[in-house]
């Protein structure tokens, strides 16, 4: 990789909030703190934020001539609160108990760290003048775009590099200590096979299948000590005895218990074991030791819906359990294929960070794709992806791959398109009602129930648009034909007599009825936000219908889409931006839905009381003539997916510029926000909606209007860039990432309704907008129109491969760095050429501009 930009190098107070996710897609994981601590253990099929696995850690000691020179844990300064940080234990941790003991704040550690975070790789350099040598830890998990299996490995990989800076040889011991997660009565077994030494930790007790599993730690170092168990005692005996045994010259003892533990730990600590690698390092020499930690908890419990299936709480089985028998098998493969997994993971990092993309865009993309490594995402037994919106501390936030939230994310369809397609497949297979409506949350076990709320407009039409996008990314028309009847039914739902929300009964191409949406309430009457989603879905449906051989239906969709677009351009553009056109005083508009079937919104009772204010004589929770950041969301989707512009291009550009002018704030001093506060004071951001001078804000406007969401910020920024307003787009991105600088918030956790929130992965649209990516792999076509003028290089990922496209003078080269690309034609800035060959990794295609 080229020289690392300073913004990705964190020191001092900028390490305070860092938690860098490690783990596999849909496999859960843990995180590495800015000081090198192992935190946020989310490995048992649910989030575990702000948690520890006992005192799991890495440590190092140095000896020379049989004497101990130094010993300390591979941690930097304590990042928590001196009065007490979060804990699940009642005594001796938490507020009023001082620094959290599981952080090992009371154990000798290094004075400072330098954390370099370039997802998917993190590096921590440890600094202390009194330690005889230099130490650096590199942490990663396989993250290889288009390679879904290897990127789902439930493991964290560590490379610990030691340099002897002194004048004499030094013997170093690097110890990896692992807690038997959630288990106080453990069965620990040491094994050696194929040069790998491992310690597998599981429970000695019989447990339900959804609690059963194991964790492992392993190294392929040549000389290894194994302390199978730490001392079984009470109080602080285990850590006390371990540190005395570690921080002295010589080898670790081999402690093993053959009998179960009879007395539980009074502080709810798991049992621990340690592997220690011993190396001798000459003056000026550097050596590296490799460790890995893996977990394997095959069955998850639907803890948030107790008694759902036949009076019992449902379960699911993890995808990774179909690939690896236990955590020991995970580590056996990890070490056998270490270099094979490492090379493309680091190549992806180097490719992304080595391009000409603005550093603000790289920062946003690498800071949010980390979500795929966290407990926000699950993979079910057959590989299907299922997800939360985000995470609360120890449970998921808002279940079921919520369509209106996952509408925004653009990371998965380009980096892991096969996984993205599983969302379409499960949506149409398990989530579609007999009337064609798509419920917007998937219930697991898949097929066990429908989510009880009516379909939401943005989620319904987003699913259709994304089907079009995923078809064009894959080039697989047979896949499209297989699901076309389901897509057609989803389109027909908009005007179906069985649609209780009466979206468009007259087939006008505009939504008129009750429209549920991602702001968790309903809009009534024509509005550009949801009707642009409708029109984009109609346009996409017309193209898909023609490809599926349904010409007559496609023609009808084309007519409706054009009619809707004409109405949007003529009736919903106020000269400055696109609006909602409704009479807030028209009570009859909502009265007709008072007794409609189905629960509505977040409030199930009292429909009229919810949506009508007698005091103000107004409909509640609307935008009316306000300026919504999302006002032309459907056109954004259409631009990214290659559907073209159905709105007048000049009006689109004006509306985007107006959304920036009215809704972007360089700082939020004096801004009133009664809602959730994700940005404040000297921080800037983009508001959900504003009511500029000359407009009237409804007495009770749409919920969340005063909030700032990064998912919407990146959507607007990428659309601005796509339409040529690059300075405005980059200003938004820069402002959003300034809030996630390590000092204020975690750079790898953008929050909304919880941590690691999926909507923020709209950021990947910035990459495609900047490079001007276009694609249609049904024809093998890929093109670029970068916003940069002149020479440069740009990252791309589409279909089954990824790489870079670069320009030098009038020469353009497209390189495949991983996977493959069936390339029919390549275009760049208006020049195109036929290629007509399949490119594999290491292959390239050339184009002469103007040639």
């Amino acid at each position: 990789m080229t020289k690392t930009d300073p913004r990705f190098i964190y020191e001092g107070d900028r390490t305070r909030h860092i938690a860098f996710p490690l783990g596999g897609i849909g496999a859960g994981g843990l995180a590495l703190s800015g000081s090198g601590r192992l935190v946020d253990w989310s490995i048992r099929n649910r989030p575990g934020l702000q948690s520890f696995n006992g005192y799991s850690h890495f440590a190092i000691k140095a000896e020379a001539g049989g004497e101990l020179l130094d010993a300390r844990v591979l941690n930097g300064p304590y990042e928590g609160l001196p009065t007490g940080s979060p804990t699940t234990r009642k005594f001796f941790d938490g507020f009023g108990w001082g620094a959290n003991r599981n952080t090992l704040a009371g154990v000798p550690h290094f004075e400072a760290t330098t954390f370099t975070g370039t997802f998917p790789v993190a590096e921590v350099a440890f600094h202390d003048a009194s330690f005889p040598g230099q130490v650096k830890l590199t942490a990663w998990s396989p993250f290889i775009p288009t390679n879904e299996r290897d990127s789902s490995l439930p493991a964290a990989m560590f490379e610990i590099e030691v340099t002897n800076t002194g004048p004499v040889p030094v013997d170093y011991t690097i110890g990896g200590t692992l807690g038997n997660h959630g288990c106080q009565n453990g069965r620990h077994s040491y094994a050696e096979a194929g040069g790998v030494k491992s310690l597998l930790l599981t429970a000695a007790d019989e447990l339900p299948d959804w609690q059963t599993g194991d964790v492992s730690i392993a190294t392929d170092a040549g000389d290894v000590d194994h302390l199978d168990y730490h001392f079984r005692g009470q109080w602080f005996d285990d850590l006390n005895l371990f540190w005395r045994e570690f921080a002295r010259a010589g080898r670790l003892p081999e402690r093993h218990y053959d009998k179960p533990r009879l007395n539980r730990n009074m502080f709810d600590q798991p049992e621990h074991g340690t592997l220690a690698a011993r190396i001798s390092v000459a003056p000026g020499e550097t050596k590296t030791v490799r460790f890995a930690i893996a977990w394997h908890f095959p069955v998850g419990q639907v803890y948030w819906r107790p008694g759902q299936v036949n009076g019992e709480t449902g379960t699911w089985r993890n995808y990774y359990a179909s690939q690896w028998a236990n955590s020991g098998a995970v580590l056996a493969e990890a070490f056998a294929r270490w270099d094979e997994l490492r090379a493309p993971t680091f190549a992806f990092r180097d490719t992304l960070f080595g391009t000409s993309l603005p550093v603000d865009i790289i920062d946003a993309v690498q800071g949010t794709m980390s979500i795929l490594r966290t407990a926000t995402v699950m993979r079910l037994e057959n590989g299907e992806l299922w997800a939360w919106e985000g995470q609360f501390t120890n449970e998921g936030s808002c279940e079921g791959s919520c369509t209106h939230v996952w509408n925004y994310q653009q990371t998965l369809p380009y980096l892991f398109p096969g996984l993205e397609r599983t969302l379409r497949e499960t949506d149409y297979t398990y989530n579609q009602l007999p009337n064609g409506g798509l419920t917007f949350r998937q219930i697991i076990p898949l097929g066990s129930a429908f989510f009880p709320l009516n379909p939401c407009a943005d989620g319904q039409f987003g699913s259709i648009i994304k089907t079009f996008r995923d078809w064009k990314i894959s080039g697989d028309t047979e896949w499209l034909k297989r699901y076309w009847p389901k897509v057609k039914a989803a389109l027909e739902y908009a005007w179906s007599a069985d649609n209780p929300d009466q979206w468009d009964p007259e087939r006008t191409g505009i939504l008129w009825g009750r429209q549920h949406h991602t702001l968790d309430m309903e809009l009534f009457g024509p509005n550009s936000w949801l009707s642009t989603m409708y029109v984009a879905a109609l346009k996409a449906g017309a193209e898909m219908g023609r490809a599926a051989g349904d010409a007559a239906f496609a023609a009808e969709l084309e007519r409706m889409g054009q009619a809707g677009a004409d109405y949007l351009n003529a009736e919903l553009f106020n000269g400055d931006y696109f609006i909602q056109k409704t009479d807030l005083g028209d009570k009859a508009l909502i009265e007709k839905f008072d007794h409609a079937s189905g629960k509505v919104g977040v409030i199930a009772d009292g429909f009229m009381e919810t949506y009508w204010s007698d005091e103000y004589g107004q409909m509640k929770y609307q935008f009316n003539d306000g300026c919504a950041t999302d006002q032309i969301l459907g056109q954004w989707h259409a631009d990214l997916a290659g559907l073209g512009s159905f709105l007048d291009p000049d009006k689109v550009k004006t509306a985007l510029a107006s959304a920036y002018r009215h809704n972007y704030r360089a700082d939020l001093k004096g801004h009133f926000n009664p809602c959730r506060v994700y940005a404040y004071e000297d921080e800037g951001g983009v508001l959900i909606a504003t009511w500029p001078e000359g407009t009237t804000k409804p007495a009770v406007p749409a919920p969340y209007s005063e909030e700032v969401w990064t998912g919407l910020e990146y959507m607007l920024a990428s659309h601005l860039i796509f339409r040529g307003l690059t300075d405005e787009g980059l200003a938004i991105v820069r402002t959003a990432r300034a809030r996630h600088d390590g000092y204020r918030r975690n750079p790898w956790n953008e929050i909304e309704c919880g941590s690691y929130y999926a909507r923020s992965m709209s950021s990947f649209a910035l990459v495609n907008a900047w490079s001007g990516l276009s694609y249609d792999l049904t024809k093998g076509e890929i093109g670029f129109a970068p916003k940069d003028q002149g020479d440069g290089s740009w990252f791309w990922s589409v279909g089954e491969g990824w790489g870079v496209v670069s320009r030098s003078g009038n020469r353009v080269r497209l390189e495949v760095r991983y996977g493959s690309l069936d390339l029919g034609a390549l275009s760049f800035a208006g020049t195109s050429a036929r290629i007509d060959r399949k490119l594999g990794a290491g292959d390239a295609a050339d184009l002469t501009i103007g040639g």
Side-chain angles (χ1 to χ4, degrees), residues 724-773:
L725 300 168
T726 57
D727 290 342
E728 294 87 342
L730 289 176
I732 291 173
V733 179
R734 190 175 304 117
T735 300
R737 287 305 291 173
R739 302 196 303 266
H740 299 86
D741 61 353
Y743 173 75
R744 295 172 183 262
R745 295 170 186 82
N746 181 6
W748 293 277
N749 179 8
E750 297 197 355
I751 63 174
E752 190 188 307
C753 185
S755 289
Y756 300 107
Y757 200 77
R759 198 191 315 262
S760 66
M761 287 189 288
S762 62
S763 62
F764 198 83
L766 296 162
V767 173
N768 294 349
W770 193 267
S771 69
L773 175 71

Side-chain angles (χ1 to χ4, degrees), residues 108-190:
H109 52 265
F110 288 79
E111 291 181 345
T113 57
T114 298
F115 189 102
T116 302
T118 50
F119 188 87
V121 180
E123 298 174 350
V124 185
F126 298 92
H127 311 297
D128 198 307
S130 63
F131 185 79
Q134 294 177 346
V135 189
K136 183 177 76 172
L137 180 149
T138 299
W140 58 282
S141 295
F143 192 90
I144 309 166
T146 73
N147 186 332
E148 300 155 9
R149 179 192 182 272
D150 291 349
S151 300
S152 298
L153 190 79
M157 326 275 268
F158 303 92
E159 300 167 4
I160 300 170
E161 179 183 287
V162 183
T163 301
N164 181 356
T165 56
V168 299
V170 176
D171 297 324
Y172 295 96
T173 299
I174 299 101
T177 293
L178 181 64
N180 193 339
H181 194 266
C183 179
Q184 296 187 29
N185 182 15
R187 181 180 294 113
H188 300 182
S189 56
Y190 174 76

Side-chain angles (χ1 to χ4, degrees), residues 571-590:
E571 301 294 332
L572 298 187
F573 184 72
N574 68 3
D576 195 21
Y577 52 86
F578 290 86
I579 61 168
Q580 176 188 16
K581 187 177 182 180
T582 192
D583 180 358
L584 295 181
D586 186 359
K587 191 175 184 179
L589 186 61
I590 61 173

